[in-house]
Amino acid sequence: MGRTLAEKVWDDHVVRRAEGEPDLLFIDLHLLHEVTSPQAFDGLRKNGREVRRIDLTIATEDHNTPTLDIDKPIADPVSRVQLETLRKNCAEFGVRLHPLGDVEQGVVHVVGPQLGLTQPGTTVVCGDSHTSTHGAFGALAFGIGTSQVEHVLATQTLPLARPKTMAITIDGELPAEVTAKDLILAIIAKIGTGGGQGYILEYRGAAIEKLSMEARMTICNMSIEAGARAGMIAPDATTFDYLKGRDHAPQGEDWDAAVAYWKTLKSDEDAVFDAEVVVDAASLAPFVTWGTNPGQGAPLSANVPDPASYEDASERNAAEKALEYMGLTAGQALRDIKVDTVFVGSCTNGRIEDLRAAASVVEGRSVADGVRMLVVPGSVRVALQAMDEGLDKVFTAAGAEWRHAGCSMCLGMNPDQLAPGERSASTSNRNFEGRQGKGGRTHLVSPQVAAATAVLGHLASPADLTDATALVEA
Amino acid sequence: MEAFTAHTGRAVPLRRSNVDTDQIIPAHWLKKVTRDGFEDGLFEAWRKDPEFVLNKPERQGASVLVAGPDFGTGSSREHAVWALQNYGFKTVVSSRFADIFRGNSLKNGLLTVVLPQETVDRLWSLVEADPDAEITVDLQDRQVRAQGITADFELDENARWRLLNGLDDISITLQNEDAIAAYESGRPAHKPSTIRA
Ligand code: SF4
């Protein structure tokens, strides 16, 4: 019987397999950041252990880093201690680190791919659930907890029970205004925040094959929001083109050997998935969330749902609580929801293509009065490229704030936060209560919807904008 | 890691589904660089409400959390587990846990027990009616017991063995040094390295 992509990569990394025990898997790439690593390094120190493979380990700073005045000492003393702890640990154990101010610094999941470290057929882990992002390259990539970070540091392996596999096939073609973000939000709304639990997802089908690497990363990134630890996409010419020539991509003979191997990394025709979901791309539309978990979303053209319409008691209850927290009423048009802040950035949508998309919408327009728009590149490299293309000027001319790279408003660990009751349209991945700051209310959107929302001041898509602009001109 | 064989204690009924890790321990707590001292961050936002179940006098000292479905969704932060443990919880019961949270809990000796929702409902009813009611979570027998309720639960044999013996994963893995070294020597040359050539 054939094997799925996930099974192939899994099998290629088994160090030890024994009846009744989890497989011991070899880890090709271990990404570190300041939040989930201090207790792991502490554990090493306590037990007199070393980092086994510094050549497979790399660290950067992202969650706590400010996006303004980065040359000044970090104001929050607790954030500062956490960053200093990472610097100390990396120096002590010999781990390569890209700290704030370095040209390779940025959100860990933007940094790995752009260095060419994330490659097809590798196992990638990081103490961060959005490690699933790297699956876009056909890597088996998943988030781990701090105990596992310590385990990988010490042994370069992880004991893991083999997950099941789920195929998510996106047939047909995405309509012009529908982005990868809309697609993944729609998938999560369909299968639920627990739908992918216990599975490695494989996104496949005609619509996926057409997507750029950036778009594929957006999709795999949010696999965790569907409950799956990992999401994968089979590597193809798009993947190889993206990697070719990058800093850490193989070269010469190694490149040829690598590509030959990478080409074998797809699910066999006769491979059997434990579960399958099919989505018709043509049926999709721009999608936004209205609630406090990423599964609580709907097409932008829809209304806020009535909790009473849910048959399942716990879903009904969750919807009621969500509407109360979000300050919304059932039946209200999603397009009528006014926002205070727009955030473009994060490991979901902080790549160059995302910034281009948002810039193309705000170009020649201005951010609505009373709305604050933050544009935060996912990494310094992304920032530099955007500046090269003049995107920063487009944003600032429209009245948006152009910031330094980092996680920023994706989560309330650094100075970029929502005030209580403040409402945002955000290109990030989590709309949990208080995720962007205590009492903050988050609507997850694509970069295009974020930009259109910034211009109009209420949830909107670029299509709405053309109408509005035409009206103004007429 | 502390071994877990069986635990008996009073319970906190948490009637909410999809309790994510940002609720269990908000992000600003993640700046700490230690494994302890997270108890005050546990459910921090909800605890501002005096009516929140954890604040009720009759729930003080409870050590069993009976939670709604999809507990622990969201981030990989192990701090969520430490916060529950620092607060005094020994075990969490739910009909469904998020994968990473579950893995983290078992690695830290916090026993996460999966029971059918109807059993969870009965446990909720019991401990809401009688805050003094005790729940026993017995890992030896893989069974949850409370007044009028006996429910078996599953846990894979390997995880159970580690918990029962309080074994830490790293030392177990390091017994396989030869297998790791053999694997390493067979890795293809094209695999990525973080050290620049
Ligand atoms: S951008 Fe957001 S989701 Fe991504 S790593 Fe940073 S905090 Fe996590």
Side-chain angles (χ1 to χ4, degrees), chain A residues 68 94 204 246 406 425 454:
Chain A
L68 283 175
R204 56 213 308 251
R246 291 199 181 255

Side-chain angles (χ1 to χ4, degrees), chain A residues 62-63 107-109 128 130 221 346-347 407 410-411 429 435:
Chain A
D62 51 10
H63 288 65
V107 181
V108 67
H109 310 307
D128 189 282
H130 290 100
N221 173 274
S346 88
C347 60
C407 293
C410 180
L411 94 171
N429 44 49
R435 168 78 177 183

Side-chain angles (χ1 to χ4, degrees), chain A residues 277-302:
Chain A
V277 173
V278 178
V279 177
D280 174 17
S283 70
L284 297 173
F287 214 85
V288 302
T289 62
W290 48 265
T292 53
N293 76 54
Q296 292 174 322
L300 176 62
S301 56

Side-chain angles (χ1 to χ4, degrees), chain A residues 245-472:
Chain A
R246 291 199 181 255
D247 256 22
H248 290 266
Q251 291 176 1
E253 275 173 34
D254 280 344
W255 172 262
D256 298 337
V259 172
Y261 169 58
W262 297 346
K263 284 185 173 164
T264 67
L265 297 173
K266 49 175 165 252
S267 293
D268 296 324
E269 294 281 338
D270 58 341
V272 180
F273 290 89
D274 299 296
E276 292 197 54
V277 173
V278 178
V279 177
D280 174 17
S283 70
L284 297 173
F287 214 85
V288 302
T289 62
W290 48 265
T292 53
N293 76 54
Q296 292 174 322
L300 176 62
S301 56
N303 297 336
V304 173
D306 184 350
S309 67
Y310 290 96
E311 276 177 28
D312 182 87
S314 80
E315 267 187 66
R316 187 165 54 235
N317 187 263
E320 276 165 7
K321 286 212 163 82
L323 292 197
E324 192 190 323
Y325 181 85
M326 293 295 288
L328 298 173
T329 36
Q332 177 179 11
L334 288 169
R335 272 203 172 82
D336 287 346
I337 297 174
K338 291 202 165 54
V339 306
D340 309 295
T341 294
V342 171
F343 170 60
V344 175
S346 88
C347 60
T348 313
N349 284 124
R351 297 185 180 78
I352 188 67
E353 201 175 85
D354 304 310
L355 300 192
R356 283 181 195 139
S360 75
V361 176
V362 298
E363 183 152 28
R365 301 187 161 105
S366 13
V367 173
D369 282 346
V371 174
R372 150 174 85 141
M373 181 183 191
L374 241 62
V375 183
V376 187
S379 71
V380 179
R381 287 274 177 215
V382 169
L384 292 176
Q385 185 170 351
M387 286 155 84
D388 224 35
E389 297 177 16
L391 304 185
D392 57 325
K393 298 268 164 11
V394 172
F395 288 120
T396 48
E401 295 178 40
W402 173 254
R403 295 293 188 86
H404 187 80
C407 293
S408 182
M409 200 180 267
C410 180
L411 94 171
M413 275 193 85
N414 57 68
D416 303 341
Q417 301 197 16
L418 294 181
E422 220 185 314
R423 186 183 299 281
S424 80
S426 174
T427 66
S428 54
N429 44 49
R430 285 185 177 146
N431 50 347
F432 297 159
E433 291 180 19
R435 168 78 177 183
Q436 295 188 295
K438 252 183 223 151
R441 296 161 167 168
T442 305
H443 297 274
L444 300 177
V445 299
S446 72
Q448 285 85 335
V449 167
T453 299
V455 172
L456 289 176
H458 60 81
L459 291 180
S461 76
D464 304 323
L465 203 59
T466 323
D467 296 340
T469 318
L471 281 177
V472 173

Side-chain angles (χ1 to χ4, degrees), chain A residues 154-175:
Chain A
T155 71
Q156 205 57 36
T157 64
L158 270 184
L160 290 166
R162 197 180 172 121
K164 295 176 287 184
T165 58
M166 180 190 288
I168 300 189
T169 307
I170 327 294
D171 285 331
E173 208 170 321
L174 288 175

Side-chain angles (χ1 to χ4, degrees), chain A residues 438, chain B residues 28 43-52 55:
Chain A
K438 252 183 223 151
Chain B
H28 68 99
F43 302 126
E44 189 182 46
W46 295 338
R47 271 162 79 186
K48 301 232 157 73
D49 173 4
E51 289 305 304
F52 179 58
N55 291 332

